[in-house]
Amino acid sequence: MSIAVVGLNHETAPVEVRERFVFSEGEAREALAELTSAGVVREAVLLSTCNRTELYGAAGDDRTEAAQDAARALLAERAGMAPAEAERYLYRRSAQDAVRHLFRVTSSLDSMVVGEAQIQGQVREAYETALALRERGVVGPVLSRLFESALSVGGRVRSETRLGTGAASVPSAAVELARKIFGSLKGHRALILGAGQMSELALECLAGDAVENVVVANRTTRRAEALAAKVGGRSAGYEDLPRLLREADIVMSATAAPHYMLTRAMLDEVFPRGRQDPLLVVDLALPRDVEPAAGEVSGVFLYDIDDLRQIVEDNRARRENQVPDAEAIVDAAVEDFWRWYASLDVVPVLRAMRDRAERLRAAELEKALRKLAHLSPEDRAVVEALAIQLTNKLLHDPTVRLKEGVGNGRPVIADTARYLFDLTEHDTTK
């Protein structure tokens, strides 16, 4: 079985392209079921965040390219593109490169904000979405082991290095941008649209910067109330947006809406003569919440997640000395996983060896016991135990050596074992 990934991220596609590839959780479940039911991809996990959409799959050893083509077709369909057009933005990884890619993603080494903590939770959620479809065969032993290993690697990088120390999340980069525009944020008024994880991070960053007047607006007010209560803020519904926009200095939007929450027409209506004092609008959502033309309104300063890149790059430079240690953890974990993965190829050989040995042991033991009919039941039990012990001891070293050899990149050893133990192809594939 082979492992592969097809995807795009902030390095290969701008925000206006990435937002076309975004999947909601429900859409991800449907896509995974569709992809694995076709038969080419045996297991699959779909990771979709504001900075990346990636399909991880496990397929037959000779089906890697076909599996990647199937993943590309699914992603292209989601984006409303022809497969050839989508290919311009997509990357493909397979085998150890695919494993290393996932481990680096989960460790935030491949993030726009190196060291950010949110990606590990997003990888976990993607894996759990696939796990929920286990009965439909969407995820199995290979990707389960892969994603469990990836989450472990991410945890080790965070605990054993200082990669995340002082690491800016995208919302904290937005707050840093606000400080460049307003100076001190103390006393300024903030409006947060949405009440999900990104909004919660934005709220924490604003509260940490002494922003005291915060309003959380959401489609359902219960979630908005719970989030606002954490910082002593207020909650509101989207129907209050015109009034809330007039009162705000900073707007951060991170909803899951399928349409623009803020449009040029809405801002023109709220500010018919333009905004007199600066209004900073930061669009943290993908698909985007704010119509790009909204930034043309006088006094409105609109930034999306790609516009935060320079701030992110400055923060990256401060943590670069931690990257080699994190990469070393990733490299060691890739080797460990690959030894386990390679050993899967020898499992049928080991099973066939043991089956053959057990058949020979049973036949020879039966012959011997026929000649030793005078033995008591106790003595017969001793002879049977001896036969079993001899079989196990004779198989122990070849079993260990086979696993080690294949795990160390010598798959020819499995073929050698087939020859030495006279195992047919039928024996090792049944």
Side-chain angles (χ1 to χ4, degrees), residues 194-196 216-227 235-239:
V216 179
N218 194 49
R219 181 174 55 84
T220 55
T221 56
R222 179 180 298 178
R223 175 62 180 157
E225 289 170 357
L227 194 56
S235 62
Y238 290 147
E239 66 275 6

Side-chain angles (χ1 to χ4, degrees), residues 102-334:
L102 177 60
F103 288 3
R104 295 187 77 255
V105 166
T106 312
S107 302
S108 80
L109 287 165
D110 195 59
S111 296
M112 185 170 77
V113 182
V114 172
E116 56 96 359
Q118 290 71 49
I119 185 61
Q120 185 164 8
Q122 292 165 333
V123 170
R124 184 180 300 279
E125 289 170 4
Y127 173 46
E128 289 175 349
T129 295
L131 273 180
L133 300 171
R134 184 192 291 270
E135 292 184 359
R136 300 177 64 174
V138 167
V139 69
V142 173
L143 290 194
S144 289
R145 179 70 173 249
L146 176 64
F147 274 80
E148 293 287 355
S149 298
L151 293 168
S152 175
V153 170
R156 285 190 59 199
V157 167
R158 282 166 180 76
S159 65
E160 297 177 23
T161 75
R162 298 191 306 278
L163 189 69
T165 302
S169 63
V170 172
S172 68
V175 171
E176 190 170 333
L177 175 63
R179 286 198 297 270
K180 292 182 178 180
I181 294 176
F182 296 105
S184 171
L185 300 185
K186 185 175 178 60
H188 284 81
R189 301 160 297 180
L191 169 63
I192 295 179
L193 302 183
Q197 183 183 38
M198 190 71 79
S199 296
E200 185 168 359
L201 287 169
L203 184 68
E204 291 172 357
C205 293
L206 288 167
D209 235 82
V211 176
E212 299 170 356
N213 190 338
V214 179
V215 178
V216 179
N218 194 49
R219 181 174 55 84
T220 55
T221 56
R222 179 180 298 178
R223 175 62 180 157
E225 289 170 357
L227 194 56
K230 293 186 176 183
V231 295
R234 296 179 291 128
S235 62
Y238 290 147
E239 66 275 6
D240 296 324
L241 268 182
R243 174 180 60 81
L244 297 172
L245 287 169
R246 293 188 189 95
E247 297 173 353
D249 302 309
I250 303 166
V251 178
M252 292 192 185
S253 189
T255 78
H259 53 75
Y260 290 134
M261 294 297 298
L262 299 179
T263 63
R264 169 70 185 267
M266 179 188 296
L267 291 178
D268 280 336
E269 184 176 344
V270 174
F271 308 113
R273 295 183 179 83
R275 172 83 178 210
Q276 300 307 307
D277 299 321
L279 175 65
L280 171 63
V281 180
V282 183
D283 189 352
L284 301 172
L286 202 74
R288 287 173 291 179
D289 279 343
V290 186
E291 183 183 15
E296 299 171 6
V297 175
S298 177
V300 174
F301 298 86
L302 172 62
Y303 297 85
D304 60 32
I305 51 179
D306 279 4
D307 295 323
L308 302 175
R309 187 178 295 256
Q310 186 56 54
I311 296 173
V312 166
E313 289 300 323
D314 292 342
N315 287 324
R316 181 197 298 262
R318 299 177 196 141
R319 296 186 301 280
E320 279 188 347
N321 64 337
Q322 294 299 306
V323 169
D325 291 341
E327 294 281 14
I329 292 173
V330 167
D331 289 343
V334 170

Side-chain angles (χ1 to χ4, degrees), residues 23-56:
F23 290 76
S24 68
E25 183 178 345
E27 291 165 341
R29 285 195 297 267
E30 293 176 5
L32 291 171
E34 175 186 342
L35 184 65
T36 53
S37 65
V40 176
V41 179
R42 298 182 186 177
E43 304 177 31
V45 174
L46 174 58
L47 174 63
S48 183
T49 75
C50 60
N51 282 325
R52 69 182 65 247
T53 296
E54 297 176 339
L55 260 171
Y56 292 84

